[in-house]
Amino acid sequence: MRLSQFFLPTEKEDRSDAVVASHRLMLRAGMIRQLTSGVYSYLPLGLRAVRKVAQIVREEMDRAGALEVFLPALQPADLWKESGRWDHFGPELVRLKDRNQRDFCLGPTHEEVVTDLVRKEVRSYRQLPLILYQIQTKFRDERRPRFGVMRSREFTMKDAYSFDATEEGAELSYMKMYEAYARIFQRTGLRFRAVEAETGAIGGSFSHEFMVLAESGEDVVVSCTDCTYAANVERAEIGHPKGKNTPPPSSTGPMKKVLTPEMRTVEEVCNFLGVEPSRLIKTLIYVADGRPIAVLVRGDREANEAKIRRVMGCAELMMAEQELVEKITGAPMGFAGPVGLKGRDLIILADREVMEMVDAVTGANEGDHHLVHVDPRRDFSVDRIEDLRVAVAGDPCPRCEHGTLQIWRGIEVGHIFKLGTKYSEAMGATFQDEKGQERPMIMGCYGIGIERTVAAAIEQNHDEDGIIFPMAIAPFQTIVLCLQKERTDVREASERVYGELLSSGIEVLLDDRDERPGIKFKDADLIGIPLRVNVGAKSLSQGKVELRHRDTGQTELIEIGSISQRVKEIVRDKTERDPGSCS
Ligand code: ATP
Ligand code: MG
């Protein structure tokens, strides 16, 4: 491809609304343009990178025995009503009506459509297992589309669905996908980690997320210092404190009510009473599927809503409105506490740590008052004691003896779920087993964000000059710069190198524009092509060209006749051995 004929609108300046590196650089490198909030056009350079990732995904899905299909984005509401998700999915679902006023949606995911397909075609255990996948556009009206293509409203997903006759079969399908994902992200050259994850709105029993480690990631992940435990912080369990098993001493005196005028927040109360936040008991009132609950956590901790949801087995969890809090506690917001709450028609959940506290402070369920010298085991009772808080660095590992949890940030590029029979039961996707008995199929679902993977690769691979594409997903493997276009010898040599690279099967871009060398260098760095061949008068006088590696900045002077051989070697080497890693 000749740059003079290519569509590559690069930009010198960053746009002010682009805060993360991938968004900034994808715009500047002319890969994408925004049409409207969270909706992007892919220009030729961007599309080439996206296609590279899609191709790796396709190869690995095929290798794992999954079969490619292409399912409709336009989906009738009836199917979503059958699964129960028409009402549950919320405003992220893009809903529309056809000319006959029938309800439809644009698929944010395809469990319903694929289950409908399979229930009509598969009758017997002999037709199972089956793994179907597609690479297709998804629509999600995200609350906060941001970070460019990382969180957009229209994006490409590889989604796969497995159907099995037995639990063991379903485990095997899950493992196959897990391994395929590890290969995919290794091949794309990413540093990633598979972590235990929440199952969220899609539901199901078990899941892993594939996280690319990056400061700009929206997800927080914990991992153990000693063992292989790693989880999304939404999921992360907290181990029991190790070592001392002596029961905590009782509080120093009888409970006492004190005046705390207008002191509502943890900070205000602690400052006013001169105590550490770790001595305060926070009382949070939620509504879980319509039922009020109180959740107690230490003042310096955060409640983990995913954990609360799991303990309650509820689909919907919301903070209670002021009115309800006042009705339950009998006090204005900011003065709720667990003492005397029992019996007020709500469920009280306490985080494990709360019941270990001594000499605590908490709201008195009376305006402008708190209680001090509270002893949780003496002064109030709760319905359940559970692990309910967000894990923090240094917490004990839930799986091993000595390890503690570390915290880092990640970008979720892939997600795999064991769904079980949630959809097959709801939608009647059954098969006849060996004994002729009708049974629901056991399902799994597996997603990868194609554009998000490209963006994540850029987050991990860039410098102040621009993108540094891993070879396997680079839009071109090599760029040839004709540095003095006015000179016939340089022009001819550039054409020769370009032609030879093309005929050896290298994906090559020739910068044959009427621009100064400085501009060509800058653009080549910005668009991140892994190898650059500088064809200039000086080295050419010795019959040589300069080969520059975008990642290390190293250069090699190479005989013009050997350049395509050398480039081929490097491309092969780097495609096979890109430094992706899984831990
Ligand atoms: P997130 O928590 O980031 O919203 P999710 O859990 O909703 O992701 P899944 O439903 O598991 O995502 O979708 C599978 C994959 O699709 C994700 O791992 C991610 O790579 C990609 N993806 C999801 N939402 C978006 C989006 N809004 N824009 C781009 N890619 C997305
Ligand atoms: Mg989402």
Side-chain angles (χ1 to χ4, degrees), residues 450-484:
I450 303 292
E451 296 93 351
R452 192 185 280 186
T453 301
V454 173
I458 296 174
E459 287 298 322
Q460 275 190 343
N461 301 284
H462 67 271
D463 61 15
E464 61 281 6
D465 297 322
I467 301 168
I468 308 172
F469 273 114
M471 188 64 85
I473 65 166
F476 292 94
Q477 294 160 333
T478 303
I479 183 167
V480 177
L481 305 192
C482 171
L483 294 177
Q484 292 97 12

PDB file of all heavy atoms in Angstrom, residues 450-484:
ATOM      1  N   ILE A 450     -13.442  -7.266  20.602  1.00  0.00           N
ATOM      2  CA  ILE A 450     -12.382  -7.208  19.579  1.00  0.00           C
ATOM      3  C   ILE A 450     -11.692  -5.837  19.596  1.00  0.00           C
ATOM      4  O   ILE A 450     -10.467  -5.752  19.725  1.00  0.00           O
ATOM      5  CB  ILE A 450     -12.952  -7.510  18.170  1.00  0.00           C
ATOM      6  CG1 ILE A 450     -13.641  -8.888  18.168  1.00  0.00           C
ATOM      7  CG2 ILE A 450     -11.859  -7.420  17.112  1.00  0.00           C
ATOM      8  CD1 ILE A 450     -12.732 -10.072  18.328  1.00  0.00           C
ATOM      9  N   GLU A 451     -12.475  -4.760  19.520  1.00  0.00           N
ATOM     10  CA  GLU A 451     -11.845  -3.430  19.504  1.00  0.00           C
ATOM     11  C   GLU A 451     -11.213  -3.110  20.861  1.00  0.00           C
ATOM     12  O   GLU A 451     -10.180  -2.458  20.929  1.00  0.00           O
ATOM     13  CB  GLU A 451     -12.859  -2.327  19.164  1.00  0.00           C
ATOM     14  CG  GLU A 451     -13.444  -2.438  17.772  1.00  0.00           C
ATOM     15  CD  GLU A 451     -14.747  -3.221  17.756  1.00  0.00           C
ATOM     16  OE1 GLU A 451     -15.112  -3.820  18.791  1.00  0.00           O
ATOM     17  OE2 GLU A 451     -15.410  -3.227  16.696  1.00  0.00           O
ATOM     18  N   ARG A 452     -11.858  -3.597  21.929  1.00  0.00           N
ATOM     19  CA  ARG A 452     -11.272  -3.334  23.255  1.00  0.00           C
ATOM     20  C   ARG A 452      -9.910  -4.006  23.370  1.00  0.00           C
ATOM     21  O   ARG A 452      -9.003  -3.486  24.021  1.00  0.00           O
ATOM     22  CB  ARG A 452     -12.206  -3.811  24.364  1.00  0.00           C
ATOM     23  CG  ARG A 452     -11.755  -3.293  25.721  1.00  0.00           C
ATOM     24  CD  ARG A 452     -12.586  -3.835  26.854  1.00  0.00           C
ATOM     25  NE  ARG A 452     -13.854  -3.132  27.017  1.00  0.00           N
ATOM     26  CZ  ARG A 452     -14.691  -3.371  28.029  1.00  0.00           C
ATOM     27  NH1 ARG A 452     -14.387  -4.273  28.948  1.00  0.00           N
ATOM     28  NH2 ARG A 452     -15.826  -2.707  28.122  1.00  0.00           N
ATOM     29  N   THR A 453      -9.750  -5.151  22.706  1.00  0.00           N
ATOM     30  CA  THR A 453      -8.452  -5.829  22.736  1.00  0.00           C
ATOM     31  C   THR A 453      -7.392  -4.997  22.011  1.00  0.00           C
ATOM     32  O   THR A 453      -6.251  -4.877  22.471  1.00  0.00           O
ATOM     33  CB  THR A 453      -8.579  -7.236  22.099  1.00  0.00           C
ATOM     34  OG1 THR A 453      -9.547  -7.965  22.845  1.00  0.00           O
ATOM     35  CG2 THR A 453      -7.258  -7.980  22.114  1.00  0.00           C
ATOM     36  N   VAL A 454      -7.781  -4.390  20.885  1.00  0.00           N
ATOM     37  CA  VAL A 454      -6.836  -3.512  20.168  1.00  0.00           C
ATOM     38  C   VAL A 454      -6.449  -2.342  21.074  1.00  0.00           C
ATOM     39  O   VAL A 454      -5.271  -2.021  21.234  1.00  0.00           O
ATOM     40  CB  VAL A 454      -7.463  -2.980  18.849  1.00  0.00           C
ATOM     41  CG1 VAL A 454      -6.555  -1.939  18.208  1.00  0.00           C
ATOM     42  CG2 VAL A 454      -7.742  -4.122  17.882  1.00  0.00           C
ATOM     43  N   ALA A 455      -7.453  -1.726  21.710  1.00  0.00           N
ATOM     44  CA  ALA A 455      -7.189  -0.578  22.580  1.00  0.00           C
ATOM     45  C   ALA A 455      -6.302  -0.989  23.764  1.00  0.00           C
ATOM     46  O   ALA A 455      -5.369  -0.276  24.132  1.00  0.00           O
ATOM     47  CB  ALA A 455      -8.502   0.014  23.077  1.00  0.00           C
ATOM     48  N   ALA A 456      -6.573  -2.169  24.332  1.00  0.00           N
ATOM     49  CA  ALA A 456      -5.781  -2.644  25.475  1.00  0.00           C
ATOM     50  C   ALA A 456      -4.332  -2.873  25.051  1.00  0.00           C
ATOM     51  O   ALA A 456      -3.403  -2.576  25.806  1.00  0.00           O
ATOM     52  CB  ALA A 456      -6.385  -3.928  26.034  1.00  0.00           C
ATOM     53  N   ALA A 457      -4.148  -3.367  23.846  1.00  0.00           N
ATOM     54  CA  ALA A 457      -2.781  -3.588  23.346  1.00  0.00           C
ATOM     55  C   ALA A 457      -2.056  -2.249  23.244  1.00  0.00           C
ATOM     56  O   ALA A 457      -0.863  -2.150  23.565  1.00  0.00           O
ATOM     57  CB  ALA A 457      -2.823  -4.279  21.986  1.00  0.00           C
ATOM     58  N   ILE A 458      -2.763  -1.219  22.837  1.00  0.00           N
ATOM     59  CA  ILE A 458      -2.143   0.112  22.722  1.00  0.00           C
ATOM     60  C   ILE A 458      -1.848   0.683  24.110  1.00  0.00           C
ATOM     61  O   ILE A 458      -0.805   1.285  24.338  1.00  0.00           O
ATOM     62  CB  ILE A 458      -3.029   1.059  21.885  1.00  0.00           C
ATOM     63  CG1 ILE A 458      -3.117   0.517  20.450  1.00  0.00           C
ATOM     64  CG2 ILE A 458      -2.486   2.487  21.900  1.00  0.00           C
ATOM     65  CD1 ILE A 458      -4.077   1.266  19.554  1.00  0.00           C
ATOM     66  N   GLU A 459      -2.770   0.438  25.061  1.00  0.00           N
ATOM     67  CA  GLU A 459      -2.506   0.895  26.436  1.00  0.00           C
ATOM     68  C   GLU A 459      -1.188   0.314  26.950  1.00  0.00           C
ATOM     69  O   GLU A 459      -0.427   0.984  27.630  1.00  0.00           O
ATOM     70  CB  GLU A 459      -3.635   0.466  27.383  1.00  0.00           C
ATOM     71  CG  GLU A 459      -4.930   1.230  27.212  1.00  0.00           C
ATOM     72  CD  GLU A 459      -4.808   2.719  27.501  1.00  0.00           C
ATOM     73  OE1 GLU A 459      -4.077   3.108  28.428  1.00  0.00           O
ATOM     74  OE2 GLU A 459      -5.444   3.504  26.770  1.00  0.00           O
ATOM     75  N   GLN A 460      -0.951  -0.947  26.617  1.00  0.00           N
ATOM     76  CA  GLN A 460       0.270  -1.593  27.119  1.00  0.00           C
ATOM     77  C   GLN A 460       1.506  -1.304  26.270  1.00  0.00           C
ATOM     78  O   GLN A 460       2.625  -1.510  26.730  1.00  0.00           O
ATOM     79  CB  GLN A 460       0.068  -3.110  27.158  1.00  0.00           C
ATOM     80  CG  GLN A 460      -0.594  -3.580  28.408  1.00  0.00           C
ATOM     81  CD  GLN A 460      -0.563  -5.094  28.524  1.00  0.00           C
ATOM     82  OE1 GLN A 460      -0.335  -5.815  27.557  1.00  0.00           O
ATOM     83  NE2 GLN A 460      -0.806  -5.584  29.717  1.00  0.00           N
ATOM     84  N   ASN A 461       1.292  -0.874  25.031  1.00  0.00           N
ATOM     85  CA  ASN A 461       2.421  -0.738  24.113  1.00  0.00           C
ATOM     86  C   ASN A 461       2.406   0.617  23.418  1.00  0.00           C
ATOM     87  O   ASN A 461       1.892   0.738  22.306  1.00  0.00           O
ATOM     88  CB  ASN A 461       2.389  -1.855  23.059  1.00  0.00           C
ATOM     89  CG  ASN A 461       2.454  -3.238  23.674  1.00  0.00           C
ATOM     90  OD1 ASN A 461       3.505  -3.693  24.100  1.00  0.00           O
ATOM     91  ND2 ASN A 461       1.309  -3.890  23.741  1.00  0.00           N
ATOM     92  N   HIS A 462       2.937   1.616  24.091  1.00  0.00           N
ATOM     93  CA  HIS A 462       3.066   2.931  23.458  1.00  0.00           C
ATOM     94  C   HIS A 462       4.166   3.715  24.178  1.00  0.00           C
ATOM     95  O   HIS A 462       4.601   3.316  25.256  1.00  0.00           O
ATOM     96  CB  HIS A 462       1.738   3.705  23.519  1.00  0.00           C
ATOM     97  CG  HIS A 462       1.345   4.095  24.912  1.00  0.00           C
ATOM     98  ND1 HIS A 462       0.603   3.294  25.738  1.00  0.00           N
ATOM     99  CD2 HIS A 462       1.620   5.211  25.629  1.00  0.00           C
ATOM    100  CE1 HIS A 462       0.432   3.896  26.906  1.00  0.00           C
ATOM    101  NE2 HIS A 462       1.042   5.052  26.862  1.00  0.00           N
ATOM    102  N   ASP A 463       4.629   4.778  23.555  1.00  0.00           N
ATOM    103  CA  ASP A 463       5.534   5.705  24.246  1.00  0.00           C
ATOM    104  C   ASP A 463       5.123   7.124  23.869  1.00  0.00           C
ATOM    105  O   ASP A 463       4.054   7.304  23.275  1.00  0.00           O
ATOM    106  CB  ASP A 463       7.010   5.407  23.911  1.00  0.00           C
ATOM    107  CG  ASP A 463       7.311   5.546  22.417  1.00  0.00           C
ATOM    108  OD1 ASP A 463       6.481   6.141  21.687  1.00  0.00           O
ATOM    109  OD2 ASP A 463       8.379   5.069  21.989  1.00  0.00           O
ATOM    110  N   GLU A 464       5.963   8.117  24.193  1.00  0.00           N
ATOM    111  CA  GLU A 464       5.512   9.502  23.956  1.00  0.00           C
ATOM    112  C   GLU A 464       5.391   9.818  22.458  1.00  0.00           C
ATOM    113  O   GLU A 464       4.713  10.769  22.076  1.00  0.00           O
ATOM    114  CB  GLU A 464       6.399  10.530  24.688  1.00  0.00           C
ATOM    115  CG  GLU A 464       7.860  10.553  24.301  1.00  0.00           C
ATOM    116  CD  GLU A 464       8.667   9.418  24.949  1.00  0.00           C
ATOM    117  OE1 GLU A 464       8.062   8.549  25.617  1.00  0.00           O
ATOM    118  OE2 GLU A 464       9.894   9.402  24.770  1.00  0.00           O
ATOM    119  N   ASP A 465       5.997   8.986  21.616  1.00  0.00           N
ATOM    120  CA  ASP A 465       5.899   9.253  20.175  1.00  0.00           C
ATOM    121  C   ASP A 465       4.694   8.593  19.509  1.00  0.00           C
ATOM    122  O   ASP A 465       4.343   8.937  18.394  1.00  0.00           O
ATOM    123  CB  ASP A 465       7.172   8.781  19.463  1.00  0.00           C
ATOM    124  CG  ASP A 465       8.383   9.555  19.945  1.00  0.00           C
ATOM    125  OD1 ASP A 465       8.248  10.773  20.174  1.00  0.00           O
ATOM    126  OD2 ASP A 465       9.448   8.930  20.133  1.00  0.00           O
ATOM    127  N   GLY A 466       4.124   7.606  20.175  1.00  0.00           N
ATOM    128  CA  GLY A 466       2.954   6.963  19.572  1.00  0.00           C
ATOM    129  C   GLY A 466       2.795   5.506  19.948  1.00  0.00           C
ATOM    130  O   GLY A 466       3.306   5.047  20.970  1.00  0.00           O
ATOM    131  N   ILE A 467       2.097   4.810  19.065  1.00  0.00           N
ATOM    132  CA  ILE A 467       1.768   3.399  19.295  1.00  0.00           C
ATOM    133  C   ILE A 467       2.991   2.529  18.994  1.00  0.00           C
ATOM    134  O   ILE A 467       3.818   2.888  18.153  1.00  0.00           O
ATOM    135  CB  ILE A 467       0.603   2.998  18.351  1.00  0.00           C
ATOM    136  CG1 ILE A 467      -0.625   3.876  18.609  1.00  0.00           C
ATOM    137  CG2 ILE A 467       0.255   1.514  18.495  1.00  0.00           C
ATOM    138  CD1 ILE A 467      -1.723   3.765  17.557  1.00  0.00           C
ATOM    139  N   ILE A 468       3.094   1.389  19.701  1.00  0.00           N
ATOM    140  CA  ILE A 468       4.121   0.398  19.358  1.00  0.00           C
ATOM    141  C   ILE A 468       3.386  -0.929  19.183  1.00  0.00           C
ATOM    142  O   ILE A 468       3.233  -1.687  20.146  1.00  0.00           O
ATOM    143  CB  ILE A 468       5.181   0.276  20.483  1.00  0.00           C
ATOM    144  CG1 ILE A 468       5.741   1.655  20.848  1.00  0.00           C
ATOM    145  CG2 ILE A 468       6.276  -0.699  20.092  1.00  0.00           C
ATOM    146  CD1 ILE A 468       6.643   1.671  22.080  1.00  0.00           C
ATOM    147  N   PHE A 469       2.870  -1.185  17.997  1.00  0.00           N
ATOM    148  CA  PHE A 469       2.043  -2.383  17.817  1.00  0.00           C
ATOM    149  C   PHE A 469       2.835  -3.667  18.005  1.00  0.00           C
ATOM    150  O   PHE A 469       3.922  -3.808  17.449  1.00  0.00           O
ATOM    151  CB  PHE A 469       1.444  -2.414  16.408  1.00  0.00           C
ATOM    152  CG  PHE A 469       0.145  -1.683  16.301  1.00  0.00           C
ATOM    153  CD1 PHE A 469       0.036  -0.538  15.535  1.00  0.00           C
ATOM    154  CD2 PHE A 469      -0.978  -2.149  16.976  1.00  0.00           C
ATOM    155  CE1 PHE A 469      -1.175   0.146  15.436  1.00  0.00           C
ATOM    156  CE2 PHE A 469      -2.193  -1.468  16.881  1.00  0.00           C
ATOM    157  CZ  PHE A 469      -2.287  -0.323  16.112  1.00  0.00           C
ATOM    158  N   PRO A 470       2.275  -4.630  18.766  1.00  0.00           N
ATOM    159  CA  PRO A 470       2.850  -5.980  18.727  1.00  0.00           C
ATOM    160  C   PRO A 470       2.719  -6.491  17.289  1.00  0.00           C
ATOM    161  O   PRO A 470       1.729  -6.192  16.612  1.00  0.00           O
ATOM    162  CB  PRO A 470       1.932  -6.789  19.654  1.00  0.00           C
ATOM    163  CG  PRO A 470       1.203  -5.786  20.496  1.00  0.00           C
ATOM    164  CD  PRO A 470       1.108  -4.542  19.659  1.00  0.00           C
ATOM    165  N   MET A 471       3.717  -7.216  16.816  1.00  0.00           N
ATOM    166  CA  MET A 471       3.744  -7.629  15.411  1.00  0.00           C
ATOM    167  C   MET A 471       2.447  -8.314  14.977  1.00  0.00           C
ATOM    168  O   MET A 471       1.925  -8.059  13.895  1.00  0.00           O
ATOM    169  CB  MET A 471       4.946  -8.560  15.181  1.00  0.00           C
ATOM    170  CG  MET A 471       5.204  -8.918  13.749  1.00  0.00           C
ATOM    171  SD  MET A 471       5.652  -7.467  12.736  1.00  0.00           S
ATOM    172  CE  MET A 471       7.421  -7.356  13.013  1.00  0.00           C
ATOM    173  N   ALA A 472       1.916  -9.190  15.853  1.00  0.00           N
ATOM    174  CA  ALA A 472       0.776 -10.020  15.448  1.00  0.00           C
ATOM    175  C   ALA A 472      -0.484  -9.224  15.127  1.00  0.00           C
ATOM    176  O   ALA A 472      -1.337  -9.703  14.398  1.00  0.00           O
ATOM    177  CB  ALA A 472       0.475 -11.039  16.537  1.00  0.00           C
ATOM    178  N   ILE A 473      -0.599  -8.025  15.667  1.00  0.00           N
ATOM    179  CA  ILE A 473      -1.834  -7.271  15.405  1.00  0.00           C
ATOM    180  C   ILE A 473      -1.561  -5.932  14.711  1.00  0.00           C
ATOM    181  O   ILE A 473      -2.453  -5.096  14.575  1.00  0.00           O
ATOM    182  CB  ILE A 473      -2.656  -7.051  16.693  1.00  0.00           C
ATOM    183  CG1 ILE A 473      -1.899  -6.165  17.679  1.00  0.00           C
ATOM    184  CG2 ILE A 473      -3.023  -8.371  17.348  1.00  0.00           C
ATOM    185  CD1 ILE A 473      -2.813  -5.654  18.790  1.00  0.00           C
ATOM    186  N   ALA A 474      -0.317  -5.748  14.263  1.00  0.00           N
ATOM    187  CA  ALA A 474       0.022  -4.487  13.596  1.00  0.00           C
ATOM    188  C   ALA A 474      -0.726  -4.376  12.266  1.00  0.00           C
ATOM    189  O   ALA A 474      -0.834  -5.361  11.536  1.00  0.00           O
ATOM    190  CB  ALA A 474       1.528  -4.433  13.359  1.00  0.00           C
ATOM    191  N   PRO A 475      -1.239  -3.186  11.957  1.00  0.00           N
ATOM    192  CA  PRO A 475      -1.963  -3.027  10.692  1.00  0.00           C
ATOM    193  C   PRO A 475      -1.071  -3.294   9.475  1.00  0.00           C
ATOM    194  O   PRO A 475      -1.531  -3.790   8.463  1.00  0.00           O
ATOM    195  CB  PRO A 475      -2.423  -1.566  10.706  1.00  0.00           C
ATOM    196  CG  PRO A 475      -1.905  -0.950  11.955  1.00  0.00           C
ATOM    197  CD  PRO A 475      -1.243  -1.974  12.792  1.00  0.00           C
ATOM    198  N   PHE A 476       0.191  -2.934   9.587  1.00  0.00           N
ATOM    199  CA  PHE A 476       1.215  -3.312   8.600  1.00  0.00           C
ATOM    200  C   PHE A 476       2.419  -3.800   9.395  1.00  0.00           C
ATOM    201  O   PHE A 476       2.672  -3.326  10.490  1.00  0.00           O
ATOM    202  CB  PHE A 476       1.629  -2.112   7.735  1.00  0.00           C
ATOM    203  CG  PHE A 476       0.533  -1.629   6.815  1.00  0.00           C
ATOM    204  CD1 PHE A 476      -0.313  -0.603   7.220  1.00  0.00           C
ATOM    205  CD2 PHE A 476       0.357  -2.201   5.562  1.00  0.00           C
ATOM    206  CE1 PHE A 476      -1.323  -0.155   6.377  1.00  0.00           C
ATOM    207  CE2 PHE A 476      -0.656  -1.762   4.718  1.00  0.00           C
ATOM    208  CZ  PHE A 476      -1.501  -0.741   5.125  1.00  0.00           C
ATOM    209  N   GLN A 477       3.167  -4.725   8.798  1.00  0.00           N
ATOM    210  CA  GLN A 477       4.332  -5.234   9.527  1.00  0.00           C
ATOM    211  C   GLN A 477       5.541  -4.321   9.339  1.00  0.00           C
ATOM    212  O   GLN A 477       6.401  -4.228  10.207  1.00  0.00           O
ATOM    213  CB  GLN A 477       4.641  -6.654   9.028  1.00  0.00           C
ATOM    214  CG  GLN A 477       3.516  -7.615   9.402  1.00  0.00           C
ATOM    215  CD  GLN A 477       3.500  -8.877   8.567  1.00  0.00           C
ATOM    216  OE1 GLN A 477       3.958  -8.896   7.411  1.00  0.00           O
ATOM    217  NE2 GLN A 477       2.970  -9.949   9.138  1.00  0.00           N
ATOM    218  N   THR A 478       5.581  -3.645   8.204  1.00  0.00           N
ATOM    219  CA  THR A 478       6.747  -2.814   7.886  1.00  0.00           C
ATOM    220  C   THR A 478       6.305  -1.548   7.155  1.00  0.00           C
ATOM    221  O   THR A 478       5.345  -1.588   6.388  1.00  0.00           O
ATOM    222  CB  THR A 478       7.714  -3.599   6.958  1.00  0.00           C
ATOM    223  OG1 THR A 478       8.078  -4.801   7.610  1.00  0.00           O
ATOM    224  CG2 THR A 478       8.965  -2.810   6.642  1.00  0.00           C
ATOM    225  N   ILE A 479       7.038  -0.475   7.416  1.00  0.00           N
ATOM    226  CA  ILE A 479       6.823   0.744   6.625  1.00  0.00           C
ATOM    227  C   ILE A 479       8.160   1.132   5.977  1.00  0.00           C
ATOM    228  O   ILE A 479       9.206   1.067   6.630  1.00  0.00           O
ATOM    229  CB  ILE A 479       6.235   1.888   7.489  1.00  0.00           C
ATOM    230  CG1 ILE A 479       5.945   3.105   6.630  1.00  0.00           C
ATOM    231  CG2 ILE A 479       7.122   2.249   8.669  1.00  0.00           C
ATOM    232  CD1 ILE A 479       5.074   4.162   7.320  1.00  0.00           C
ATOM    233  N   VAL A 480       8.111   1.457   4.714  1.00  0.00           N
ATOM    234  CA  VAL A 480       9.319   1.880   4.007  1.00  0.00           C
ATOM    235  C   VAL A 480       9.225   3.391   3.795  1.00  0.00           C
ATOM    236  O   VAL A 480       8.223   3.888   3.277  1.00  0.00           O
ATOM    237  CB  VAL A 480       9.425   1.171   2.628  1.00  0.00           C
ATOM    238  CG1 VAL A 480      10.644   1.677   1.855  1.00  0.00           C
ATOM    239  CG2 VAL A 480       9.483  -0.341   2.812  1.00  0.00           C
ATOM    240  N   LEU A 481      10.266   4.122   4.241  1.00  0.00           N
ATOM    241  CA  LEU A 481      10.250   5.570   4.060  1.00  0.00           C
ATOM    242  C   LEU A 481      11.185   5.958   2.920  1.00  0.00           C
ATOM    243  O   LEU A 481      12.379   5.658   2.964  1.00  0.00           O
ATOM    244  CB  LEU A 481      10.700   6.303   5.336  1.00  0.00           C
ATOM    245  CG  LEU A 481       9.967   6.010   6.639  1.00  0.00           C
ATOM    246  CD1 LEU A 481      10.376   7.040   7.695  1.00  0.00           C
ATOM    247  CD2 LEU A 481       8.463   6.013   6.464  1.00  0.00           C
ATOM    248  N   CYS A 482      10.623   6.610   1.934  1.00  0.00           N
ATOM    249  CA  CYS A 482      11.440   7.174   0.867  1.00  0.00           C
ATOM    250  C   CYS A 482      11.823   8.580   1.339  1.00  0.00           C
ATOM    251  O   CYS A 482      10.976   9.474   1.379  1.00  0.00           O
ATOM    252  CB  CYS A 482      10.613   7.224  -0.414  1.00  0.00           C
ATOM    253  SG  CYS A 482      11.422   8.126  -1.725  1.00  0.00           S
ATOM    254  N   LEU A 483      13.108   8.755   1.737  1.00  0.00           N
ATOM    255  CA  LEU A 483      13.463   9.974   2.465  1.00  0.00           C
ATOM    256  C   LEU A 483      13.793  11.184   1.585  1.00  0.00           C
ATOM    257  O   LEU A 483      13.682  12.313   2.033  1.00  0.00           O
ATOM    258  CB  LEU A 483      14.596   9.691   3.450  1.00  0.00           C
ATOM    259  CG  LEU A 483      14.204   8.745   4.600  1.00  0.00           C
ATOM    260  CD1 LEU A 483      15.377   8.443   5.503  1.00  0.00           C
ATOM    261  CD2 LEU A 483      13.051   9.318   5.414  1.00  0.00           C
ATOM    262  N   GLN A 484      14.222  10.943   0.357  1.00  0.00           N
ATOM    263  CA  GLN A 484      14.427  12.078  -0.560  1.00  0.00           C
ATOM    264  C   GLN A 484      13.731  11.757  -1.876  1.00  0.00           C
ATOM    265  O   GLN A 484      14.326  11.178  -2.783  1.00  0.00           O
ATOM    266  CB  GLN A 484      15.920  12.347  -0.818  1.00  0.00           C
ATOM    267  CG  GLN A 484      16.690  12.858   0.384  1.00  0.00           C
ATOM    268  CD  GLN A 484      17.425  11.755   1.131  1.00  0.00           C
ATOM    269  OE1 GLN A 484      17.543  10.644   0.629  1.00  0.00           O
ATOM    270  NE2 GLN A 484      17.925  12.055   2.311  1.00  0.00           N
TER     271      GLN A 484
END
